Each structure stands twice: as structure tokens, then as C-alpha cells.
Amino acid sequence: MPADVPSTPRIRDGVRAALPLAPAPFLFGLSFGVLAEAAGIGVVAATVMSATTFAGSAQFAVVTILDDGGTILAAILAAVFLNARYIAIGVSVASIVPGGRLARFFRAQLIVDESWALSGRSGRFEWPILAGAGLLLYVLWVSSTALGSVAGGALDDPDALGFDAAFAVLFLALAAPYLRSKRALQAAALAAAITLVLLPVAPAGVPIVAASAACLLGLRR
């Protein structure tokens, strides 16, 4: 193959692309497992939740609200708000997910923030990159949840270990390749401002959903 012709990416390329990010989701999953154990959610329930939901922020919201005495309805609404961004994310990559309806339904489980961001770094979304990154992150997330639940008694205060900071750094690293234009920087700054203004006053999940309105800057010609 000529040197100037790009090779077709493979699933293992997606795995390799996600490897530098691996510590952050592993620590975040470990932290979730500890929190779930402290809230009285057993190892099996916490692990099944991670295996079927695979959405860290939403899972944290559900467990935190229930642990604080909140209602199931409040926990579900918080999770829905936090995961509303996946509507736009799913639409953006729907055309690259192979297979029939049932296969696409299960493969969509691999679409998370990190796998989506990595799959579009070349300027177009690539399914092998998304699938490889998603598979690695899924294994890390589920296994670290189980480990955190089992070892919860030894990690009484996960926040003191800085697990939350690790995930913030992860998302900053994912955003960096997309901040190459003035308009992208403006959208990121506006989204950050919206989030910071709403965090002290809005219910969980609302600041993230509201901040996504900053992407409308891309419609301006």
C-alpha cells in the first residue's frame, strides 16, 4: 500500500487509542464501587448496574441521591438529565454502527464520551476506533466497579484520594484535540460559563444539558 494512503483502522487501534485514558475510568469506577458499597448497594447490584448502564455520572447521581434519602423518581430524573447528551451523540454516529437493529442496539452500549471523542479525531467518525475504545473502557468500568465494591471498607473516603479530579483531567484531555478553531474555543468557554453559573442553583444534570446549548455557535455562519 502506498505510504500516502491511510490504512483502515481496526478495533485494536481503538483499544490502543484508549489505553492512555485507562487510569481515569478505572479510578472512577473504583470510586463508584466504594460509594455504592457505602450506600448499601451490594457487589452484584453495583456490578450489574455498571454492566447495563455504563454511564458513570448518571450512576453516581443515582447512588448519591438514594444514599441521601432522595426518592427513586429524583434519582431517575437526575440520570436522565445527565444522559440527555447521548441523544445528540448517538445521532452523530448512528450511520457508522454496523449490523441489524438488534446488533446495533447492543453495539450502541459502547458509545460513551471517551469512545465517541476518540473515534472522531480524524475528522470523521470511525466505527473500529469507537468499538475498540468502548470495549476497553467497558471492561475497565465494570471490573473496577466490582473491585471497588469488594474493597469498599478499605477506602472510606474516595474523594480524599482525588478520584474525582482524575476524571476531570480525562475530559479536558479529550476536549483538547477539538479546540483548534476560534469558534470551538468560544463554544467551550460559553459551555464552561453556563455550567459554573448553574451548578450552585440547578438540579443535578441540568447544568450539563444547558451547557450543550453552546454548540449552537456552530450554526452561525
Side-chain angles (χ1 to χ4, degrees), residues 42-74:
V43 175
V44 174
T47 304
V48 169
M49 185 180 186
S50 283
T52 56
T53 305
F54 192 29
S57 55
Q59 291 179 228
F60 266 97
V62 168
V63 172
T64 300
I65 290 171
L66 294 178
D67 189 40
D68 289 342
T71 65
I72 294 178
L73 178 60

PDB file of all heavy atoms in Angstrom, residues 42-74:
ATOM      1  N   GLY A  42     -25.180  -3.792  47.136  1.00  0.00           N
ATOM      2  CA  GLY A  42     -24.273  -4.926  47.143  1.00  0.00           C
ATOM      3  C   GLY A  42     -23.386  -4.989  45.916  1.00  0.00           C
ATOM      4  O   GLY A  42     -23.586  -4.287  44.919  1.00  0.00           O
ATOM      5  N   VAL A  43     -22.389  -5.871  45.987  1.00  0.00           N
ATOM      6  CA  VAL A  43     -21.438  -6.036  44.896  1.00  0.00           C
ATOM      7  C   VAL A  43     -22.140  -6.426  43.600  1.00  0.00           C
ATOM      8  O   VAL A  43     -21.876  -5.849  42.532  1.00  0.00           O
ATOM      9  CB  VAL A  43     -20.388  -7.113  45.255  1.00  0.00           C
ATOM     10  CG1 VAL A  43     -19.463  -7.368  44.073  1.00  0.00           C
ATOM     11  CG2 VAL A  43     -19.587  -6.699  46.481  1.00  0.00           C
ATOM     12  N   VAL A  44     -23.057  -7.377  43.681  1.00  0.00           N
ATOM     13  CA  VAL A  44     -23.750  -7.849  42.479  1.00  0.00           C
ATOM     14  C   VAL A  44     -24.575  -6.731  41.856  1.00  0.00           C
ATOM     15  O   VAL A  44     -24.512  -6.488  40.639  1.00  0.00           O
ATOM     16  CB  VAL A  44     -24.637  -9.059  42.799  1.00  0.00           C
ATOM     17  CG1 VAL A  44     -25.475  -9.447  41.579  1.00  0.00           C
ATOM     18  CG2 VAL A  44     -23.784 -10.239  43.252  1.00  0.00           C
ATOM     19  N   ALA A  45     -25.348  -6.019  42.684  1.00  0.00           N
ATOM     20  CA  ALA A  45     -26.218  -4.960  42.167  1.00  0.00           C
ATOM     21  C   ALA A  45     -25.400  -3.837  41.538  1.00  0.00           C
ATOM     22  O   ALA A  45     -25.744  -3.329  40.469  1.00  0.00           O
ATOM     23  CB  ALA A  45     -27.095  -4.410  43.287  1.00  0.00           C
ATOM     24  N   ALA A  46     -24.307  -3.448  42.198  1.00  0.00           N
ATOM     25  CA  ALA A  46     -23.467  -2.367  41.667  1.00  0.00           C
ATOM     26  C   ALA A  46     -22.811  -2.783  40.354  1.00  0.00           C
ATOM     27  O   ALA A  46     -22.742  -1.989  39.405  1.00  0.00           O
ATOM     28  CB  ALA A  46     -22.405  -1.989  42.690  1.00  0.00           C
ATOM     29  N   THR A  47     -22.345  -4.020  40.284  1.00  0.00           N
ATOM     30  CA  THR A  47     -21.683  -4.502  39.073  1.00  0.00           C
ATOM     31  C   THR A  47     -22.673  -4.625  37.921  1.00  0.00           C
ATOM     32  O   THR A  47     -22.366  -4.252  36.779  1.00  0.00           O
ATOM     33  CB  THR A  47     -21.013  -5.858  39.337  1.00  0.00           C
ATOM     34  OG1 THR A  47     -20.115  -5.744  40.444  1.00  0.00           O
ATOM     35  CG2 THR A  47     -20.236  -6.326  38.113  1.00  0.00           C
ATOM     36  N   VAL A  48     -23.865  -5.137  38.209  1.00  0.00           N
ATOM     37  CA  VAL A  48     -24.896  -5.236  37.172  1.00  0.00           C
ATOM     38  C   VAL A  48     -25.295  -3.850  36.680  1.00  0.00           C
ATOM     39  O   VAL A  48     -25.513  -3.639  35.477  1.00  0.00           O
ATOM     40  CB  VAL A  48     -26.128  -6.000  37.703  1.00  0.00           C
ATOM     41  CG1 VAL A  48     -27.298  -5.877  36.731  1.00  0.00           C
ATOM     42  CG2 VAL A  48     -25.783  -7.459  37.929  1.00  0.00           C
ATOM     43  N   MET A  49     -25.370  -2.899  37.591  1.00  0.00           N
ATOM     44  CA  MET A  49     -25.713  -1.529  37.197  1.00  0.00           C
ATOM     45  C   MET A  49     -24.670  -0.966  36.234  1.00  0.00           C
ATOM     46  O   MET A  49     -25.003  -0.348  35.221  1.00  0.00           O
ATOM     47  CB  MET A  49     -25.813  -0.634  38.435  1.00  0.00           C
ATOM     48  CG  MET A  49     -26.282   0.773  38.134  1.00  0.00           C
ATOM     49  SD  MET A  49     -26.370   1.792  39.634  1.00  0.00           S
ATOM     50  CE  MET A  49     -27.107   3.285  38.970  1.00  0.00           C
ATOM     51  N   SER A  50     -23.395  -1.196  36.533  1.00  0.00           N
ATOM     52  CA  SER A  50     -22.330  -0.709  35.645  1.00  0.00           C
ATOM     53  C   SER A  50     -22.345  -1.436  34.307  1.00  0.00           C
ATOM     54  O   SER A  50     -22.086  -0.830  33.261  1.00  0.00           O
ATOM     55  CB  SER A  50     -20.964  -0.880  36.315  1.00  0.00           C
ATOM     56  OG  SER A  50     -20.747   0.111  37.289  1.00  0.00           O
ATOM     57  N   ALA A  51     -22.665  -2.730  34.323  1.00  0.00           N
ATOM     58  CA  ALA A  51     -22.680  -3.518  33.093  1.00  0.00           C
ATOM     59  C   ALA A  51     -23.831  -3.134  32.178  1.00  0.00           C
ATOM     60  O   ALA A  51     -23.701  -3.204  30.949  1.00  0.00           O
ATOM     61  CB  ALA A  51     -22.748  -5.007  33.418  1.00  0.00           C
ATOM     62  N   THR A  52     -24.950  -2.720  32.749  1.00  0.00           N
ATOM     63  CA  THR A  52     -26.121  -2.410  31.934  1.00  0.00           C
ATOM     64  C   THR A  52     -26.286  -0.922  31.660  1.00  0.00           C
ATOM     65  O   THR A  52     -26.866  -0.540  30.639  1.00  0.00           O
ATOM     66  CB  THR A  52     -27.398  -2.925  32.610  1.00  0.00           C
ATOM     67  OG1 THR A  52     -27.493  -2.370  33.938  1.00  0.00           O
ATOM     68  CG2 THR A  52     -27.386  -4.444  32.711  1.00  0.00           C
ATOM     69  N   THR A  53     -25.772  -0.084  32.555  1.00  0.00           N
ATOM     70  CA  THR A  53     -25.930   1.358  32.386  1.00  0.00           C
ATOM     71  C   THR A  53     -24.699   1.975  31.726  1.00  0.00           C
ATOM     72  O   THR A  53     -24.819   2.747  30.773  1.00  0.00           O
ATOM     73  CB  THR A  53     -26.170   2.045  33.740  1.00  0.00           C
ATOM     74  OG1 THR A  53     -27.289   1.432  34.390  1.00  0.00           O
ATOM     75  CG2 THR A  53     -26.450   3.527  33.559  1.00  0.00           C
ATOM     76  N   PHE A  54     -23.511   1.648  32.229  1.00  0.00           N
ATOM     77  CA  PHE A  54     -22.249   2.110  31.641  1.00  0.00           C
ATOM     78  C   PHE A  54     -22.266   3.620  31.414  1.00  0.00           C
ATOM     79  O   PHE A  54     -21.966   4.115  30.334  1.00  0.00           O
ATOM     80  CB  PHE A  54     -21.989   1.361  30.334  1.00  0.00           C
ATOM     81  CG  PHE A  54     -20.592   1.537  29.775  1.00  0.00           C
ATOM     82  CD1 PHE A  54     -19.516   1.776  30.600  1.00  0.00           C
ATOM     83  CD2 PHE A  54     -20.378   1.449  28.409  1.00  0.00           C
ATOM     84  CE1 PHE A  54     -18.232   1.930  30.084  1.00  0.00           C
ATOM     85  CE2 PHE A  54     -19.102   1.596  27.873  1.00  0.00           C
ATOM     86  CZ  PHE A  54     -18.028   1.846  28.717  1.00  0.00           C
ATOM     87  N   ALA A  55     -22.622   4.343  32.471  1.00  0.00           N
ATOM     88  CA  ALA A  55     -22.681   5.805  32.391  1.00  0.00           C
ATOM     89  C   ALA A  55     -22.314   6.349  33.765  1.00  0.00           C
ATOM     90  O   ALA A  55     -23.164   6.460  34.651  1.00  0.00           O
ATOM     91  CB  ALA A  55     -24.069   6.284  31.973  1.00  0.00           C
ATOM     92  N   GLY A  56     -21.035   6.671  33.942  1.00  0.00           N
ATOM     93  CA  GLY A  56     -20.519   6.991  35.265  1.00  0.00           C
ATOM     94  C   GLY A  56     -21.238   8.103  35.983  1.00  0.00           C
ATOM     95  O   GLY A  56     -21.653   7.957  37.136  1.00  0.00           O
ATOM     96  N   SER A  57     -21.412   9.259  35.324  1.00  0.00           N
ATOM     97  CA  SER A  57     -22.006  10.404  36.015  1.00  0.00           C
ATOM     98  C   SER A  57     -23.435  10.099  36.436  1.00  0.00           C
ATOM     99  O   SER A  57     -23.860  10.464  37.548  1.00  0.00           O
ATOM    100  CB  SER A  57     -21.966  11.640  35.110  1.00  0.00           C
ATOM    101  OG  SER A  57     -22.593  11.383  33.870  1.00  0.00           O
ATOM    102  N   ALA A  58     -24.189   9.429  35.578  1.00  0.00           N
ATOM    103  CA  ALA A  58     -25.569   9.091  35.916  1.00  0.00           C
ATOM    104  C   ALA A  58     -25.619   8.101  37.073  1.00  0.00           C
ATOM    105  O   ALA A  58     -26.469   8.208  37.969  1.00  0.00           O
ATOM    106  CB  ALA A  58     -26.268   8.509  34.685  1.00  0.00           C
ATOM    107  N   GLN A  59     -24.725   7.133  37.082  1.00  0.00           N
ATOM    108  CA  GLN A  59     -24.700   6.154  38.165  1.00  0.00           C
ATOM    109  C   GLN A  59     -24.335   6.810  39.494  1.00  0.00           C
ATOM    110  O   GLN A  59     -24.920   6.496  40.538  1.00  0.00           O
ATOM    111  CB  GLN A  59     -23.708   5.032  37.835  1.00  0.00           C
ATOM    112  CG  GLN A  59     -24.159   4.139  36.695  1.00  0.00           C
ATOM    113  CD  GLN A  59     -23.162   3.049  36.361  1.00  0.00           C
ATOM    114  OE1 GLN A  59     -22.819   2.841  35.211  1.00  0.00           O
ATOM    115  NE2 GLN A  59     -22.680   2.331  37.369  1.00  0.00           N
ATOM    116  N   PHE A  60     -23.376   7.707  39.461  1.00  0.00           N
ATOM    117  CA  PHE A  60     -23.024   8.434  40.682  1.00  0.00           C
ATOM    118  C   PHE A  60     -24.214   9.230  41.192  1.00  0.00           C
ATOM    119  O   PHE A  60     -24.468   9.293  42.398  1.00  0.00           O
ATOM    120  CB  PHE A  60     -21.844   9.377  40.419  1.00  0.00           C
ATOM    121  CG  PHE A  60     -20.514   8.780  40.745  1.00  0.00           C
ATOM    122  CD1 PHE A  60     -19.745   8.204  39.762  1.00  0.00           C
ATOM    123  CD2 PHE A  60     -20.016   8.796  42.046  1.00  0.00           C
ATOM    124  CE1 PHE A  60     -18.507   7.651  40.045  1.00  0.00           C
ATOM    125  CE2 PHE A  60     -18.789   8.247  42.350  1.00  0.00           C
ATOM    126  CZ  PHE A  60     -18.021   7.666  41.350  1.00  0.00           C
ATOM    127  N   ALA A  61     -24.940   9.875  40.277  1.00  0.00           N
ATOM    128  CA  ALA A  61     -26.093  10.679  40.676  1.00  0.00           C
ATOM    129  C   ALA A  61     -27.153   9.817  41.348  1.00  0.00           C
ATOM    130  O   ALA A  61     -27.694  10.178  42.404  1.00  0.00           O
ATOM    131  CB  ALA A  61     -26.680  11.390  39.457  1.00  0.00           C
ATOM    132  N   VAL A  62     -27.443   8.660  40.758  1.00  0.00           N
ATOM    133  CA  VAL A  62     -28.463   7.771  41.308  1.00  0.00           C
ATOM    134  C   VAL A  62     -28.086   7.305  42.707  1.00  0.00           C
ATOM    135  O   VAL A  62     -28.892   7.390  43.654  1.00  0.00           O
ATOM    136  CB  VAL A  62     -28.672   6.547  40.381  1.00  0.00           C
ATOM    137  CG1 VAL A  62     -29.516   5.483  41.079  1.00  0.00           C
ATOM    138  CG2 VAL A  62     -29.336   6.982  39.081  1.00  0.00           C
ATOM    139  N   VAL A  63     -26.861   6.816  42.863  1.00  0.00           N
ATOM    140  CA  VAL A  63     -26.432   6.298  44.157  1.00  0.00           C
ATOM    141  C   VAL A  63     -26.371   7.404  45.211  1.00  0.00           C
ATOM    142  O   VAL A  63     -26.784   7.213  46.361  1.00  0.00           O
ATOM    143  CB  VAL A  63     -25.057   5.601  44.028  1.00  0.00           C
ATOM    144  CG1 VAL A  63     -24.509   5.234  45.401  1.00  0.00           C
ATOM    145  CG2 VAL A  63     -25.181   4.347  43.168  1.00  0.00           C
ATOM    146  N   THR A  64     -25.875   8.582  44.841  1.00  0.00           N
ATOM    147  CA  THR A  64     -25.763   9.690  45.783  1.00  0.00           C
ATOM    148  C   THR A  64     -27.136  10.148  46.264  1.00  0.00           C
ATOM    149  O   THR A  64     -27.352  10.377  47.459  1.00  0.00           O
ATOM    150  CB  THR A  64     -25.017  10.873  45.141  1.00  0.00           C
ATOM    151  OG1 THR A  64     -23.707  10.453  44.757  1.00  0.00           O
ATOM    152  CG2 THR A  64     -24.900  12.035  46.124  1.00  0.00           C
ATOM    153  N   ILE A  65     -28.066  10.284  45.328  1.00  0.00           N
ATOM    154  CA  ILE A  65     -29.414  10.731  45.694  1.00  0.00           C
ATOM    155  C   ILE A  65     -30.105   9.716  46.600  1.00  0.00           C
ATOM    156  O   ILE A  65     -30.717  10.076  47.615  1.00  0.00           O
ATOM    157  CB  ILE A  65     -30.251  10.990  44.431  1.00  0.00           C
ATOM    158  CG1 ILE A  65     -29.717  12.228  43.707  1.00  0.00           C
ATOM    159  CG2 ILE A  65     -31.730  11.172  44.770  1.00  0.00           C
ATOM    160  CD1 ILE A  65     -30.327  12.459  42.343  1.00  0.00           C
ATOM    161  N   LEU A  66     -30.013   8.453  46.261  1.00  0.00           N
ATOM    162  CA  LEU A  66     -30.633   7.421  47.091  1.00  0.00           C
ATOM    163  C   LEU A  66     -29.973   7.345  48.463  1.00  0.00           C
ATOM    164  O   LEU A  66     -30.645   7.161  49.482  1.00  0.00           O
ATOM    165  CB  LEU A  66     -30.553   6.066  46.393  1.00  0.00           C
ATOM    166  CG  LEU A  66     -31.368   5.914  45.100  1.00  0.00           C
ATOM    167  CD1 LEU A  66     -31.151   4.533  44.500  1.00  0.00           C
ATOM    168  CD2 LEU A  66     -32.849   6.157  45.369  1.00  0.00           C
ATOM    169  N   ASP A  67     -28.648   7.503  48.516  1.00  0.00           N
ATOM    170  CA  ASP A  67     -27.926   7.460  49.791  1.00  0.00           C
ATOM    171  C   ASP A  67     -28.293   8.638  50.678  1.00  0.00           C
ATOM    172  O   ASP A  67     -28.281   8.527  51.910  1.00  0.00           O
ATOM    173  CB  ASP A  67     -26.416   7.452  49.528  1.00  0.00           C
ATOM    174  CG  ASP A  67     -25.614   7.179  50.791  1.00  0.00           C
ATOM    175  OD1 ASP A  67     -26.037   6.322  51.597  1.00  0.00           O
ATOM    176  OD2 ASP A  67     -24.568   7.821  50.984  1.00  0.00           O
ATOM    177  N   ASP A  68     -28.638   9.771  50.057  1.00  0.00           N
ATOM    178  CA  ASP A  68     -29.023  10.969  50.814  1.00  0.00           C
ATOM    179  C   ASP A  68     -30.504  10.982  51.186  1.00  0.00           C
ATOM    180  O   ASP A  68     -30.997  11.960  51.743  1.00  0.00           O
ATOM    181  CB  ASP A  68     -28.704  12.232  50.010  1.00  0.00           C
ATOM    182  CG  ASP A  68     -27.208  12.485  49.911  1.00  0.00           C
ATOM    183  OD1 ASP A  68     -26.451  11.914  50.729  1.00  0.00           O
ATOM    184  OD2 ASP A  68     -26.791  13.255  49.023  1.00  0.00           O
ATOM    185  N   GLY A  69     -31.201   9.896  50.866  1.00  0.00           N
ATOM    186  CA  GLY A  69     -32.615   9.802  51.231  1.00  0.00           C
ATOM    187  C   GLY A  69     -33.557  10.303  50.166  1.00  0.00           C
ATOM    188  O   GLY A  69     -34.761  10.451  50.410  1.00  0.00           O
ATOM    189  N   GLY A  70     -33.045  10.572  48.976  1.00  0.00           N
ATOM    190  CA  GLY A  70     -33.895  11.037  47.888  1.00  0.00           C
ATOM    191  C   GLY A  70     -34.781   9.936  47.348  1.00  0.00           C
ATOM    192  O   GLY A  70     -34.574   8.748  47.621  1.00  0.00           O
ATOM    193  N   THR A  71     -35.768  10.321  46.556  1.00  0.00           N
ATOM    194  CA  THR A  71     -36.703   9.349  46.001  1.00  0.00           C
ATOM    195  C   THR A  71     -36.131   8.683  44.745  1.00  0.00           C
ATOM    196  O   THR A  71     -35.204   9.204  44.117  1.00  0.00           O
ATOM    197  CB  THR A  71     -38.031  10.024  45.635  1.00  0.00           C
ATOM    198  OG1 THR A  71     -37.791  10.977  44.575  1.00  0.00           O
ATOM    199  CG2 THR A  71     -38.612  10.746  46.841  1.00  0.00           C
ATOM    200  N   ILE A  72     -36.716   7.563  44.393  1.00  0.00           N
ATOM    201  CA  ILE A  72     -36.309   6.871  43.166  1.00  0.00           C
ATOM    202  C   ILE A  72     -36.581   7.761  41.951  1.00  0.00           C
ATOM    203  O   ILE A  72     -35.796   7.809  41.006  1.00  0.00           O
ATOM    204  CB  ILE A  72     -37.043   5.526  43.036  1.00  0.00           C
ATOM    205  CG1 ILE A  72     -36.595   4.571  44.152  1.00  0.00           C
ATOM    206  CG2 ILE A  72     -36.804   4.900  41.668  1.00  0.00           C
ATOM    207  CD1 ILE A  72     -37.304   3.242  44.138  1.00  0.00           C
ATOM    208  N   LEU A  73     -37.710   8.483  41.987  1.00  0.00           N
ATOM    209  CA  LEU A  73     -38.050   9.373  40.879  1.00  0.00           C
ATOM    210  C   LEU A  73     -36.983  10.451  40.696  1.00  0.00           C
ATOM    211  O   LEU A  73     -36.557  10.740  39.560  1.00  0.00           O
ATOM    212  CB  LEU A  73     -39.410  10.032  41.111  1.00  0.00           C
ATOM    213  CG  LEU A  73     -39.859  11.030  40.029  1.00  0.00           C
ATOM    214  CD1 LEU A  73     -39.966  10.332  38.677  1.00  0.00           C
ATOM    215  CD2 LEU A  73     -41.192  11.668  40.428  1.00  0.00           C
ATOM    216  N   ALA A  74     -36.537  11.036  41.799  1.00  0.00           N
ATOM    217  CA  ALA A  74     -35.499  12.071  41.720  1.00  0.00           C
ATOM    218  C   ALA A  74     -34.203  11.496  41.163  1.00  0.00           C
ATOM    219  O   ALA A  74     -33.523  12.134  40.351  1.00  0.00           O
ATOM    220  CB  ALA A  74     -35.248  12.677  43.099  1.00  0.00           C
TER     221      ALA A  74
END
